[in-house]
């Protein structure tokens, strides 16, 4: 594991890499989750480059926190991790993938720290205008949970209730609901791919299309599955990452 800390918060990176890798991808989880959400996607990517699945401050293997952390603070922590463990290792700027709240973190990272990503991939970004309330988001997540696999829901529940702890989780939800990703993406300077599962009730098609349109170099893609499409269709999401590496001039064999 890699660790990056500023004394107040820590990002833990779970790294898998082939020999002589010349590229990297960084995977950022959603609210209440952890790096474990990306196990299947990591399996598809590891033969092509370094895979850094991170635990954000207060989540997963990162130390528990007694203070709240905002979306911009999460983005700054991920940017610090990328500089220390990817760029300083001599690798080019990675593809950075975020799911749900992680999509918000990655969007903020692209705006505030443009040097640390070659492409942003935003999976299932949440909380479009008109749904920014706890009730709206809870209802959508409940609908989604009915169709997700038991493994996906089980991992999320353990991460949210045990590893993250409920008070921190509830505080983080407030940031997710209030965050305006559509106002941040226009500041991105690298390509952005906005992705949704075909049956995702949390990230509807018109929201995905709007976000792609707001990013200066944005486009959108649809893969199989629901909100956790990187679990349902890891091959489809992996192909989007491989395309991002190709477009950056680093060919995939």
């Amino acid at each position: 594991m890699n660790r990056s800390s500023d004394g107040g918060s820590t990002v833990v990176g779970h790294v898998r890499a082939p020999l002589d890798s010349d590229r990297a991808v960084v995977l950022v989880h959603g609210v209440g989750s952890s790096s474990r959400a990306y196990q299947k996607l990591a399996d598809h990517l590891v033969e092509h480059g370094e895979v850094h699945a991170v635990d954000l401050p207060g989540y997963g293997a990162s130390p528990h926190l007694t203070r709240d952390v905002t979306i911009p603070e999460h983005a700054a922590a991920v940017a610090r991790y990328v500089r220390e463990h990817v760029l300083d290792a001599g690798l080019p700027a990675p593809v950075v993938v975020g799911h749900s709240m992680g999509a918000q973190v990655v969007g903020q990272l692209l705006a505030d720290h443009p040097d640390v990503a070659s492409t942003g991939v935003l999976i299932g970004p949440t909380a479009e205008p008109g749904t920014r309330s706890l009730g709206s988001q809870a209802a959508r997540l409940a609908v989604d949970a009915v169709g997700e696999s038991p493994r996906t829901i089980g991992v999320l529940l353990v991460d949210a209730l045990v590893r993250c702890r409920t008070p921190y989780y509830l505080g983080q939800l407030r940031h997710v609901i209030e965050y305006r990703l559509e106002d941040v993406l226009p500041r991105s300077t690298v390509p952005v791919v906005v992705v949704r599962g075909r049956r995702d009730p949390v990230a509807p098609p018109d929201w995905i299309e709007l976000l792609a349109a707001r990013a200066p170099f944005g486009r959108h893609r649809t893969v199989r599955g629901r909100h956790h499409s990187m679990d349902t269709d890891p091959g489809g999401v992996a192909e989007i990452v491989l395309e991002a590496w190709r477009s950056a001039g680093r060919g995939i064999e």
Side-chain angles (χ1 to χ4, degrees), residues 9 11 53 60 72 74 90 126 173 181 191:
S9 62
V11 172
H74 280 307
T126 188
L173 279 178
L181 183 56

Side-chain angles (χ1 to χ4, degrees), residues 48-191:
H48 300 292
E50 285 191 3
V51 180
H52 296 251
V54 302
D55 290 327
L56 293 171
Y59 293 93
S62 295
H64 292 297
L65 295 175
T66 57
R67 69 174 186 89
D68 194 19
V69 179
T70 66
I71 299 295
E73 287 174 327
H74 280 307
V78 175
R80 184 181 65 242
Y81 175 92
V82 172
R83 293 188 182 103
E84 292 178 1
H85 297 291
V86 178
L87 302 185
D88 287 355
L91 296 179
V95 176
V96 185
V97 179
H99 171 249
S100 199
M101 182 193 81
Q104 299 175 337
V105 173
V106 173
Q108 190 73 44
L109 178 144
L110 299 179
D112 292 348
H113 310 276
D115 61 308
V116 302
S118 63
T119 302
V121 178
L122 314 182
I123 304 172
T126 188
E128 78 271 25
T131 70
R132 289 176 176 142
S133 71
L134 183 58
S136 292
Q137 292 302 310
R140 287 184 169 188
L141 289 170
V143 170
D144 180 65
V146 173
E148 297 282 7
S149 73
R151 176 196 171 277
T152 297
I153 298 302
V155 168
L156 183 59
L157 286 175
V158 170
D159 281 340
L161 301 179
V162 178
R163 305 179 84 205
C164 171
R165 297 186 180 180
T166 302
Y168 186 70
Y169 173 73
L170 293 175
Q172 294 283 281
L173 279 178
R174 176 174 58 86
H175 297 303
V176 174
I177 291 168
E178 295 175 353
Y179 191 77
R180 301 177 64 88
L181 183 56
E182 72 275 19
D183 292 341
V184 175
L185 283 183
R187 294 199 284 128
S188 63
T189 58
V190 301

